[in-house]
Short mmCIF file of all heavy atoms in Angstrom, two decimals:
data_model
loop_
_atom_site.label_atom_id
_atom_site.label_comp_id
_atom_site.label_asym_id
_atom_site.label_seq_id
_atom_site.Cartn_x
_atom_site.Cartn_y
_atom_site.Cartn_z
N TYR A 277 63.80 25.83 95.68
CA TYR A 277 63.80 25.43 97.08
C TYR A 277 65.06 26.05 97.69
O TYR A 277 66.06 26.23 96.99
CB TYR A 277 63.96 23.93 97.28
CG TYR A 277 62.89 23.01 96.75
CD1 TYR A 277 63.08 21.63 96.85
CD2 TYR A 277 61.71 23.47 96.19
CE1 TYR A 277 62.12 20.74 96.39
CE2 TYR A 277 60.75 22.58 95.74
CZ TYR A 277 60.97 21.22 95.83
OH TYR A 277 60.03 20.33 95.38
N VAL A 278 65.01 26.34 98.97
CA VAL A 278 66.23 26.60 99.74
C VAL A 278 66.26 25.54 100.83
O VAL A 278 65.42 25.52 101.72
CB VAL A 278 66.24 28.02 100.35
CG1 VAL A 278 67.46 28.20 101.24
CG2 VAL A 278 66.24 29.06 99.23
N ARG A 279 67.25 24.62 100.70
CA ARG A 279 67.32 23.49 101.64
C ARG A 279 68.51 23.65 102.57
O ARG A 279 69.55 24.18 102.16
CB ARG A 279 67.57 22.18 100.88
CG ARG A 279 66.61 21.86 99.78
CD ARG A 279 66.96 20.46 99.27
NE ARG A 279 66.38 20.17 97.98
CZ ARG A 279 65.48 19.23 97.76
NH1 ARG A 279 65.03 18.50 98.76
NH2 ARG A 279 65.05 19.00 96.54
N ALA A 280 68.37 23.15 103.79
CA ALA A 280 69.51 23.08 104.71
C ALA A 280 69.18 22.12 105.83
O ALA A 280 68.05 21.60 105.92
CB ALA A 280 69.84 24.46 105.26
N LYS A 281 70.16 21.90 106.71
CA LYS A 281 70.02 20.80 107.68
C LYS A 281 69.06 21.11 108.83
O LYS A 281 68.52 20.19 109.43
CB LYS A 281 71.39 20.42 108.24
CG LYS A 281 71.92 21.43 109.21
CD LYS A 281 72.96 20.87 110.16
CE LYS A 281 73.18 21.93 111.22
NZ LYS A 281 74.47 22.00 111.79
N ASP A 282 68.86 22.40 109.17
CA ASP A 282 67.90 22.71 110.23
C ASP A 282 67.24 24.06 109.95
O ASP A 282 67.62 24.77 109.00
CB ASP A 282 68.56 22.67 111.62
CG ASP A 282 69.71 23.64 111.77
OD1 ASP A 282 69.66 24.73 111.14
OD2 ASP A 282 70.66 23.32 112.50
N LEU A 283 66.28 24.42 110.78
CA LEU A 283 65.49 25.63 110.51
C LEU A 283 66.33 26.89 110.53
O LEU A 283 66.13 27.80 109.72
CB LEU A 283 64.35 25.76 111.53
CG LEU A 283 63.06 25.01 111.20
CD1 LEU A 283 62.03 25.27 112.29
CD2 LEU A 283 62.51 25.43 109.84
N ASP A 284 67.30 26.97 111.46
CA ASP A 284 68.16 28.17 111.52
C ASP A 284 68.94 28.33 110.22
O ASP A 284 69.04 29.43 109.67
CB ASP A 284 69.12 28.08 112.70
CG ASP A 284 68.41 28.32 114.02
OD1 ASP A 284 67.25 28.77 114.00
OD2 ASP A 284 69.01 28.02 115.07
N ALA A 285 69.50 27.23 109.74
CA ALA A 285 70.30 27.30 108.51
C ALA A 285 69.42 27.60 107.30
O ALA A 285 69.83 28.33 106.39
CB ALA A 285 71.07 25.99 108.31
N ILE A 286 68.21 27.06 107.30
CA ILE A 286 67.28 27.35 106.20
C ILE A 286 66.95 28.85 106.20
O ILE A 286 67.00 29.51 105.15
CB ILE A 286 65.97 26.54 106.34
CG1 ILE A 286 66.24 25.05 106.18
CG2 ILE A 286 64.92 27.01 105.33
CD1 ILE A 286 65.05 24.16 106.59
N THR A 287 66.65 29.39 107.37
CA THR A 287 66.27 30.80 107.47
C THR A 287 67.42 31.70 107.05
O THR A 287 67.23 32.67 106.31
CB THR A 287 65.84 31.12 108.93
OG1 THR A 287 64.80 30.20 109.28
CG2 THR A 287 65.33 32.53 109.07
N ASP A 288 68.63 31.37 107.50
CA ASP A 288 69.80 32.17 107.14
C ASP A 288 70.03 32.17 105.63
O ASP A 288 70.19 33.23 105.01
CB ASP A 288 71.03 31.60 107.87
CG ASP A 288 72.31 32.31 107.45
OD1 ASP A 288 72.46 33.50 107.82
OD2 ASP A 288 73.14 31.71 106.75
N ALA A 289 70.00 30.98 105.04
CA ALA A 289 70.24 30.89 103.59
C ALA A 289 69.11 31.58 102.83
O ALA A 289 69.34 32.26 101.82
CB ALA A 289 70.35 29.42 103.17
N ASN A 290 67.90 31.45 103.31
CA ASN A 290 66.76 32.02 102.61
C ASN A 290 66.80 33.55 102.61
O ASN A 290 66.45 34.19 101.61
CB ASN A 290 65.45 31.51 103.23
CG ASN A 290 64.26 31.77 102.33
OD1 ASN A 290 64.34 31.57 101.11
ND2 ASN A 290 63.17 32.23 102.90
N GLU A 291 67.25 34.13 103.71
CA GLU A 291 67.37 35.60 103.74
C GLU A 291 68.38 36.08 102.70
O GLU A 291 68.17 37.08 102.01
CB GLU A 291 67.79 36.07 105.14
CG GLU A 291 66.62 36.06 106.11
CD GLU A 291 67.04 36.35 107.55
OE1 GLU A 291 68.23 36.68 107.79
OE2 GLU A 291 66.16 36.22 108.42
N LYS A 292 69.49 35.34 102.57
CA LYS A 292 70.51 35.71 101.58
C LYS A 292 69.96 35.56 100.16
O LYS A 292 70.20 36.39 99.28
CB LYS A 292 71.75 34.84 101.75
CG LYS A 292 72.50 35.12 103.04
CD LYS A 292 73.61 34.08 103.24
CE LYS A 292 74.35 34.35 104.55
NZ LYS A 292 75.25 33.24 104.90
N VAL A 293 69.20 34.50 99.95
CA VAL A 293 68.63 34.26 98.62
C VAL A 293 67.62 35.36 98.27
O VAL A 293 67.63 35.89 97.15
CB VAL A 293 67.98 32.85 98.57
CG1 VAL A 293 67.08 32.70 97.35
CG2 VAL A 293 69.06 31.78 98.56
N ASN A 294 66.80 35.75 99.23
CA ASN A 294 65.82 36.80 98.95
C ASN A 294 66.50 38.14 98.65
O ASN A 294 66.08 38.89 97.76
CB ASN A 294 64.85 36.94 100.12
CG ASN A 294 63.84 35.80 100.14
OD1 ASN A 294 63.67 35.11 99.14
ND2 ASN A 294 63.19 35.60 101.27
#
Side-chain angles (χ1 to χ4, degrees):
Y277 297 175
V278 174
R279 306 186 197 244
K281 74 157 190 211
D282 59 33
L283 274 181
D284 286 347
I286 294 168
T287 305
D288 175 69
N290 195 42
E291 282 172 7
K292 291 172 181 170
V293 165
N294 285 343

